[in-house]
Amino acid sequence: MVRAFKMKGQKRKKKRDEKYDRGEEEEEKEEVEEEELNDSGKRAKLEKTSQNDNKKGEEDGQEEKDVVVHEMEGIPIAPSVQNTKRPGVIFVLEKASLEVAKVGKSYQILNSDDHSNFLRRNNKNPADYRPDIVHQALLSILDSPLTKAGRLQAVYVRTDKGVLFEVKPHVRLPRTYKRFAGIMLQLLQKLSITAVGKREKLLRVIKNPVTQYLPVNSRKIGFSYSSEKLVKMRNYVASISDDDNLVFVVGAMAHGKIDCDYTDDLIAISGYPLSAACCIARICEALEDKWNLL
């Protein structure tokens, strides 16, 4: 029988194809091994550089420990002031009308305009609920050139219920009353309000009494229309030494008189009753004239 040459040709082609396939597989293996060698070399270089960087970082860290002040997480460090120590001002607002109550289905800050019927049903005088007085007083303090010049140290507010909270000098309060009432509600419920994107507490509820937060060498001055000591604010401030820190205690209520045992002096700056915002404006103007703040 005659053998078919086609079968032989097909077998030879298969062997050749297998040889070519084996050659390609060997070339691919060699390329993979070369890539692995290159990767291993790169890894070794990276490990060496990382070790060197770690050594340099440890040396730099040891040098910085001797020089740099340690920073705590979440507590910002105040900018250093290289000038001589300057006297500061602290304001204390007493008897602020900031009371939270559940009206309907939500909690709100009570005021005489929106909750007059609710207050009468509970046998309370709507005229005593004036949280807008605190709002105006705080804006008068924080918007003054005295504060913008960095002379304001702190502001403390004590409500008629005895809750004491601190307001930072660099805080920016809302201009509208509704937003201000929302912030006060959040403060009294959560006990603090932090800055956006930071951990710094701009407003926070603190423990009584307020005297533990006042400087030792401070002069505490209270204001009341009923005081027999009527003075001109510019002359009164000019007679005070520049080494003393000043604490001004102003009432933030609609009617009545502040009852504070910690004040050193109780004065009246006008023969007419003044609002808290007007009284604070006169104080700030007198201090700005004394310290030449324009």
Side-chain angles (χ1 to χ4, degrees):
M1 293 178 68
V2 180
R3 293 182 181 178
F5 291 99
K6 291 183 180 180
M7 296 297 293
K8 289 183 180 180
Q10 287 179 359
K11 288 183 180 179
R12 288 177 184 176
K13 285 181 181 180
K14 286 182 180 179
K15 289 181 180 179
R16 289 176 184 176
D17 294 337
E18 289 176 359
K19 287 181 181 180
Y20 288 128
D21 294 336
R22 289 177 185 175
E24 289 175 359
E25 288 177 358
E26 289 175 358
E27 289 177 359
E28 289 176 358
K29 287 181 181 179
E30 290 176 358
E31 289 177 358
V32 170
E33 289 175 356
E34 289 178 359
E35 288 177 359
E36 289 178 354
L37 290 172
N38 292 331
D39 293 337
S40 61
K42 290 179 181 178
R43 288 175 187 172
K45 289 181 181 179
L46 289 172
E47 289 176 357
K48 288 181 181 179
T49 53
S50 62
Q51 289 176 0
N52 294 329
D53 292 337
N54 291 331
K55 290 180 181 179
K56 289 180 181 179
E58 291 175 357
E59 292 175 358
D60 295 336
Q62 290 177 358
E63 292 177 358
E64 289 177 358
K65 283 181 182 178
D66 299 332
V67 180
V68 180
V69 181
H70 292 283
E71 296 183 6
M72 296 179 66
E73 293 182 358
I75 301 177
I77 294 178
S80 60
V81 180
Q82 298 185 2
N83 298 331
T84 57
K85 187 178 180 181
R86 301 177 299 176
V89 183
I90 297 174
F91 283 93
V92 181
L93 302 180
E94 289 282 350
K95 291 187 176 181
S97 178
L98 293 170
E99 185 176 345
V100 181
K102 189 175 183 180
V103 182
K105 296 183 179 180
S106 62
Y107 288 91
Q108 299 178 16
I109 297 288
L110 296 177
N111 65 81
S112 58
D113 293 334
D114 300 330
H115 309 108
S116 58
N117 295 330
F118 175 84
L119 293 170
R120 289 191 184 96
R121 285 199 301 268
N122 291 274
N123 298 323
K124 295 181 179 180
N125 185 11
D128 295 335
Y129 292 83
R130 294 284 308 280
D132 58 296
I133 296 176
V134 190
H135 184 210
Q136 294 172 4
L138 288 173
L139 289 179
S140 181
I141 295 171
L142 299 174
D143 289 346
S144 65
L146 186 73
T147 302
K148 295 177 181 179
R151 293 300 185 95
L152 180 66
Q153 292 183 351
V155 180
Y156 299 100
V157 181
R158 180 153 53 187
T159 67
D160 52 358
K161 298 296 182 181
V163 180
L164 179 67
F165 63 89
E166 179 188 6
V167 181
K168 294 291 184 180
H170 55 273
V171 69
R172 181 175 174 82
L173 290 177
R175 302 293 170 177
T176 59
Y177 169 73
K178 287 186 178 180
R179 291 186 61 194
F180 172 77
I183 286 180
M184 290 296 105
L185 179 63
Q186 182 181 353
L187 172 65
L188 295 175
Q189 288 180 338
K190 296 185 178 180
L191 305 182
S192 66
I193 294 178
T194 57
V196 178
K198 298 180 181 178
R199 294 184 180 179
E200 182 185 5
K201 294 182 179 180
L202 300 178
L203 295 92
R204 63 189 180 102
V205 176
I206 55 179
K207 294 182 180 181
N208 283 292
V210 70
T211 52
Q212 63 181 331
Y213 307 103
L214 304 179
V216 178
N217 61 340
S218 60
R219 185 169 181 176
K220 307 167 190 68
I221 305 162
F223 293 85
S224 177
Y225 166 69
S226 60
S227 176
E228 298 178 356
K229 188 177 180 180
L230 180 62
V231 298
K232 192 173 183 178
M233 195 60 201
R234 290 183 181 179
N235 298 335
Y236 183 82
V237 169
S239 62
I240 300 175
S241 175
D242 291 336
D243 297 332
D244 295 336
N245 290 314
L246 301 177
V247 179
F248 297 106
V249 184
V250 182
M253 63 286 187
H255 306 285
K257 177 184 175 182
I258 57 172
D259 297 326
C260 300
D261 299 333
Y262 58 88
T263 55
D264 301 326
D265 199 359
L266 186 65
I267 63 173
I269 59 174
S270 176
Y272 305 96
L274 300 177
S275 64
C278 183
C279 180
I280 290 168
R282 285 199 174 189
I283 296 169
C284 293
E285 287 178 0
L287 291 174
E288 288 160 10
D289 290 341
K290 180 182 179 180
W291 292 330
N292 295 324
L293 300 176
L294 301 177

